[in-house]
Amino acid sequence: MLLDVPSEKGFGQLTRHARETRDEPTALVSLVDHDRQFPKATY
């Protein structure tokens, strides 16, 4: 299942891009289903 897998390179690239283009100190990607949240990447 996609939600239960560890962090992946693509999610890291997405967070880095979001942080740099928005000039923010931190960015993260989390996937959420009906009762859980799955952190995938933080940059």
Side-chain angles (χ1 to χ4, degrees):
M1 175 181 212
L2 174 64
L3 299 178
D4 290 323
V5 298
S7 296
E8 297 178 34
K9 183 178 180 181
F11 290 116
Q13 292 171 336
L14 177 64
T15 55
R16 180 174 45 89
H17 177 72
R19 187 185 73 98
E20 291 172 354
T21 59
R22 302 293 299 171
D23 195 27
E24 296 291 337
T26 306
L28 60 94
V29 172
S30 291
L31 303 179
V32 179
D33 72 5
H34 65 283
D35 63 355
R36 296 186 297 173
Q37 181 175 342
F38 301 86
K40 302 306 286 180
T42 302
Y43 190 89

